[in-house]
Amino acid sequence: MEFNQFDRDITLEELLRGIPSIKLRSALDQSLGASWSLQDRTGKTLLHSASSHEDALNASGVPLEVELEMIGQLHATCPTERRLSTASWLELLLTAAHRYCMVADLHSEVVFTNYAELQREHLALQESERRYHALADQLEKRVAEQVGVIERSQRQLYQAEKLASVGSLAAGMAHEINNPIGFIRSNLCSATDNFNSMQQVLTAFHCDAKLEAERIWISSNLDFILEDFPVLLAESVTGADRIARIVANLKDYANIDLAEIGLIDLNDSIRTVMNLVGDQPCGSIELHVDLQSLPPIECDKGRLNQVLLSLVQNALQALNGKGIIRVSSAVKNNQIEIAVSDNGCGIEPETLGRIFDPFFTMRDVGKGTGLGLTVSQEIITAFGGHITVESELGTGSTFTVCLPLSMSS
């Protein structure tokens, strides 16, 4: 399979399409504090400061690189240190935009290409059945061969499940980050209005217009403003701290695709996943954690994070916005047991035996790949463990991950 569309040159204009220009211009205005201009490698101006920017073109430019490729330059009339600092975070933003586009294109390409391949193989199998119905032995052999091809194709789609999980996670993170950003911006607007009122009073006092100053003081309710201003700033700091914590939790989870074996405390993985879930909008769902002391074991933290996140997301799906999720850890029978329980809808007995089958899902069409539990079971099996499930219809379900104290991948 070839992905020739990924060999084309990176252009600054394409990357900027995926970034809101108003927010980017505001961020560059605040970061540079001077006239600036953003140009592509051909010298074409793609974005510039709201004020006059012609003088920025005469200033020396800072090259912008993405994936070791120079895609443009940042010109600004501010000091060199500020230009370099701004160019650094701008390169990070552009690199993230480029990689997001690459991952999105790759995800779509893999899913649709493999789906088309499965469709062709399915039609070929139906044709074989029609043509060779009388040849039972040969038909059985051909069916077995086709099943083998389908199973190999299923393995190729496991990566799609990882991307779908991360995509769902990122959507929740974006929603929760937007909330504090919204009220921080609102507070800054209020602070600007308050500052204008204070400035008017000070100007009146400076001009020895005491009566006018008192009139402005009363009409602007500066007594309340002075009392409310520290609260407004404290709320903004709290919002910024919340954004920092969400980003830190997501960064801790971001090594999901790094196959790195080492000694880890599984309780740390549980905390990481629960922090991520807690940062997402969960409706009226309560999260309870009961962690016992665990000995460190040698395993891949990123893979186990993926398993735990998949189990917790399944529990969230079962609760449909209201209920309790309990996650516990303990050492029992010379193995570590991590249980994820919910008091949701439960699973029907006739369905329970199929939940680990590839592509089997109880979600609505288009809302699940049916690979989450399959991939989770294979990861745990690779480390010498297993996953058990207990469920009662209308009462809830409990998935238990069992891992030996001494594991090998």
Side-chain angles (χ1 to χ4, degrees):
M1 184 185 305
E2 298 181 356
F3 300 98
N4 295 328
Q5 63 269 38
F6 301 119
D7 294 332
R8 56 186 172 85
D9 292 338
I10 305 169
T11 66
L12 180 59
E13 187 172 8
E14 289 179 349
L15 296 182
L16 289 178
R17 290 196 190 107
I19 305 174
S21 58
I22 295 177
K23 293 184 178 179
L24 180 57
R25 180 180 284 109
S26 175
L28 288 170
D29 284 340
Q30 294 181 31
S31 181
L32 293 169
S35 175
W36 57 268
S37 176
L38 191 60
Q39 297 181 327
D40 64 12
R41 74 185 99 198
T42 66
K44 177 183 177 181
T45 299
L46 301 178
L47 198 65
H48 56 78
S49 55
S51 61
S52 175
H53 67 281
E54 286 75 10
D55 52 343
L57 299 177
N58 298 323
S60 59
V62 179
L64 299 174
E65 294 185 357
V66 173
E67 304 294 347
L68 302 180
E69 181 179 345
M70 203 278 280
I71 63 171
Q73 286 189 328
L74 174 64
H75 296 267
T77 58
C78 63
T80 301
E81 181 179 353
R82 179 169 290 188
R83 287 203 307 271
L84 293 175
S85 174
T86 302
S88 296
W89 67 253
L90 184 56
E91 283 183 343
L92 291 176
L93 179 64
L94 294 172
T95 299
H98 171 62
R99 293 182 178 176
Y100 176 83
C101 292
M102 290 285 289
V103 170
D105 291 344
L106 180 59
H107 180 203
S108 299
E109 185 75 18
V110 170
V111 170
F112 286 104
T113 301
N114 282 277
Y115 176 76
E117 179 66 20
L118 289 175
Q119 286 287 84
R120 288 193 293 271
E121 291 169 359
H122 178 67
L123 293 175
L125 182 58
Q126 288 183 325
E127 179 65 14
S128 296
E129 290 176 345
R130 185 187 65 80
R131 293 173 55 190
Y132 301 106
H133 182 72
L135 305 174
D137 292 339
Q138 294 184 21
L139 178 60
E140 183 178 354
K141 181 180 179 180
R142 291 180 64 86
V143 169
E145 291 174 351
Q146 293 299 318
V147 169
V149 173
I150 293 174
E151 288 178 349
R152 288 191 295 272
S153 299
Q154 289 171 354
R155 301 300 188 273
Q156 297 173 6
L157 288 178
Y158 288 165
Q159 184 66 21
E161 169 61 22
K162 299 175 188 176
L163 295 175
S165 176
V166 172
S168 174
L169 190 65
M173 295 298 101
H175 176 81
E176 287 304 298
I177 288 176
N178 279 336
N179 287 337
I181 285 179
F183 73 72
I184 288 175
R185 186 182 186 284
S186 175
N187 287 350
L188 290 176
C189 292
S190 298
T192 301
D193 294 339
N194 295 343
F195 174 79
N196 292 335
S197 298
M198 295 178 189
Q199 191 177 43
Q200 291 176 12
V201 171
L202 290 176
T203 301
F205 270 113
H206 183 70
C207 296
D208 202 22
K210 184 177 180 181
L211 293 177
E212 175 65 12
E214 290 180 353
R215 185 192 67 77
I216 297 174
W217 183 290
I218 295 173
S219 64
S220 300
N221 197 10
L222 279 186
D223 288 327
F224 171 76
I225 288 176
L226 293 175
E227 180 182 350
D228 182 63
F229 205 78
V231 177
L232 182 145
L233 295 178
E235 287 179 352
S236 299
V237 171
T238 300
D241 290 343
R242 174 166 175 77
I243 293 173
R245 179 173 62 82
I246 292 174
V247 173
N249 289 334
L250 192 58
K251 182 179 178 182
D252 190 26
Y253 180 78
N255 65 346
I256 185 173
D257 288 324
L258 301 179
E260 184 176 342
I261 305 298
L263 284 175
I264 68 167
D265 184 347
L266 292 182
N267 283 337
D268 292 337
S269 293
I270 295 174
R271 294 187 187 99
T272 295
V273 170
M274 297 306 285
N275 285 338
L276 285 172
V277 174
D279 287 332
Q280 299 185 72
C282 296
S284 301
I285 295 177
E286 299 178 21
L287 303 176
H288 296 276
V289 179
D290 179 17
L291 306 181
Q292 305 299 319
S293 179
L294 300 178
I297 60 174
E298 189 173 1
C299 61
D300 184 344
K301 181 180 179 180
R303 303 293 185 224
L304 289 177
N305 282 355
Q306 181 187 354
V307 172
L308 293 173
L309 180 62
S310 178
L311 295 179
V312 174
Q313 285 181 328
N314 284 347
L316 288 171
Q317 183 72 20
L319 292 177
N320 197 24
K322 183 177 182 180
I324 300 174
I325 296 177
R326 302 181 188 275
V327 180
S328 64
S329 67
V331 177
K332 298 179 182 178
N333 303 321
N334 200 34
Q335 65 182 5
I336 292 177
E337 294 187 2
I338 301 174
V340 179
S341 304
D342 66 75
N343 60 347
C345 58
I347 305 172
E348 298 177 351
E350 56 270 23
T351 302
L352 201 59
R354 302 178 56 199
I355 59 175
F356 292 102
D357 293 346
F359 304 108
F360 177 80
T361 178
M362 293 184 293
R363 300 182 185 181
D364 295 336
V365 176
K367 294 187 177 181
T369 62
L371 291 173
L373 289 176
T374 305
V375 173
S376 297
Q377 185 183 52
E378 291 199 356
I379 291 174
I380 297 303
T381 301
F383 286 104
H386 61 277
I387 301 178
T388 63
V389 57
E390 297 178 0
S391 183
E392 185 176 343
L393 200 61
T395 300
S397 305
T398 298
F399 286 82
T400 303
V401 176
C402 302
L403 293 168
L405 294 178
S406 177
M407 299 194 305
S408 60
S409 60

